[in-house]
């Protein structure tokens, strides 16, 4: 069955360090992979999108890698700040098999950045 | 502010009742997506509409239905409510359809509590 796995345990890091979050998937062939940030009780906010033929994407302090062979994406926040504390969700479209129009989310990883 | 408006923000009702959640997408966006988020299941894709037509379906119960109107707003109808339907219901919109999903813009959600 199709699965998107993100570490359910919270990631605790110190301010200034690099946070690395992992997203693994099985039985998907996505055309895109997206990352969102969600604060408690709020709607997810889009951060980055990476295509299947792209290895890496950057935006300010954020970096995403996408390895379709390993079926894994890594999400990095460099020089992390307490304001980066939130839950980070990865999302895949259904791809050629399930359909491009479904965007399916992982359960997210909570990041806590302490001063 | 994502530009996506959801009403009501909070709703408390009893088992067996029916409720309607409303979503106005960002100006110009033709696609509307509905998601359910509960504590134990993460963000679950329910259904997607594009310019009034259903385009993708997820794990939407038969007791739930949705539609998108000519003015592009959408409604999610939940009937014969059960305790397990208590959740945050998010609407999202997107401007892109061809070739895959672009970024989604989420509303702030409607929190449904079934007693």
């Amino acid at each position: 069955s199709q699965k998107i796995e993100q570490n359910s345990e919270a990631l605790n890091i110190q301010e200034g360090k690099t946070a690395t979050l992992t997203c693994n998937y099985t039985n998907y062939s996505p055309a895109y992979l997206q990352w969102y940030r969600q604060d408690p009780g709020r709607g997810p906010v889009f951060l980055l999108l990476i295509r299947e033929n792209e290895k890496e994407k950057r935006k300010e302090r954020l970096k995403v890698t996408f390895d379709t062979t390993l079926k894994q994406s890594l999400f990095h926040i460099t020089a992390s700040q307490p304001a980066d504390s939130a839950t980070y969700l990865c999302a895949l479209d259904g791809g050629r098999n399930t359909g491009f129009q479904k965007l399916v989310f992982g359960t997210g990883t909570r990041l806590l950045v302490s001063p | 502010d994502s530009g996506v408006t959801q009403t009501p923000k909070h709703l408390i009702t009893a088992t067996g009742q029916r409720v309607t959640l409303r979503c106005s997408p960002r100006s110009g966006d033709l696609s509307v997506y509905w998601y359910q988020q509960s504590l134990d299941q993460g963000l679950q894709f329910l259904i997607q509409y594009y310019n009034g037509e259903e385009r993708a379906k997820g794990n939407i119960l038969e007791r739930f239905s949705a539609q998108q109107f000519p003015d592009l707003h959408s409604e999610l109808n939940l009937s014969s409510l059960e305790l397990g339907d208590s959740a945050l219901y998010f609407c999202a919109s997107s401007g892109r359809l061809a070739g895959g999903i672009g970024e989604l813009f989420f509303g702030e959600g409607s929190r449904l509590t079934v007693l």
Side-chain angles (χ1 to χ4, degrees), chain A residues 44-60:
Chain A
V45 175
F46 172 81
L47 296 174
L48 279 169
L49 178 154
I50 187 165
R51 292 176 173 78
E52 61 176 337
N53 60 353
E54 296 176 318
K55 296 291 184 190
E56 184 179 297
K57 204 85 170 274
R58 291 174 186 261
K59 179 183 173 184
E60 297 170 356

Side-chain angles (χ1 to χ4, degrees), chain A residues 19-23 32-36 46-52 54-67 72-78 88-92:
Chain A
T20 299
L21 306 176
T22 304
C23 175
Y32 301 85
L33 187 146
Q34 303 185 26
W35 283 88
Y36 288 77
F46 172 81
L47 296 174
L48 279 169
L49 178 154
I50 187 165
R51 292 176 173 78
E52 61 176 337
E54 296 176 318
K55 296 291 184 190
E56 184 179 297
K57 204 85 170 274
R58 291 174 186 261
K59 179 183 173 184
E60 297 170 356
R61 294 185 297 112
L62 308 180
K63 184 178 90 170
V64 171
T65 63
F66 192 12
D67 189 327
Q72 181 182 79
S73 175
L74 298 178
F75 177 79
H76 307 272
I77 305 175
T78 57
Y88 291 86
L89 306 167
C90 74
L92 309 177

Side-chain angles (χ1 to χ4, degrees), chain A residues 31-32 34 36 38-47 49 51 87 89 91-94 98-107, chain B residues 31 33 35 37 40-45 48 55-58 88 90 96-109 111:
Chain A
Y32 301 85
Q34 303 185 26
Y36 288 77
Q38 187 174 25
D39 292 288
R42 308 292 301 273
V45 175
F46 172 81
L47 296 174
L49 178 154
R51 292 176 173 78
T87 296
L89 306 167
L92 309 177
D93 67 75
T98 310
F100 292 110
Q101 308 318 318
K102 286 173 62 171
L103 193 64
V104 183
F105 284 80
T107 51
Chain B
S31 289
Y33 302 76
Y35 287 85
Q37 187 172 42
D40 58 345
Q41 293 224 340
L43 205 57
Q44 298 290 312
F45 171 73
Q48 185 238 339
R55 285 301 179 99
K57 218 165 183 174
L88 258 175
F90 286 107
R96 305 182 208 176
L97 179 67
I101 297 177
E103 62 184 281
L104 296 192
F105 295 88
F106 281 81
E108 290 302 316
R111 182 174 293 280

Side-chain angles (χ1 to χ4, degrees), chain B residues 72-83:
Chain B
L72 300 178
H73 91 271
S74 178
E75 292 181 356
L76 179 67
N77 300 296
L78 315 175
S79 61
S80 303
L81 285 168
E82 302 175 359
L83 296 177

Side-chain angles (χ1 to χ4, degrees), chain A residues 102 104, chain B residues 36 41 44-47 57-62 64:
Chain A
K102 286 173 62 171
V104 183
Chain B
Q36 178 194 56
Q41 293 224 340
Q44 298 290 312
F45 171 73
L46 296 178
I47 199 162
K57 218 165 183 174
N59 301 321
I60 187 166
L61 299 172
E62 284 191 13
F64 296 0

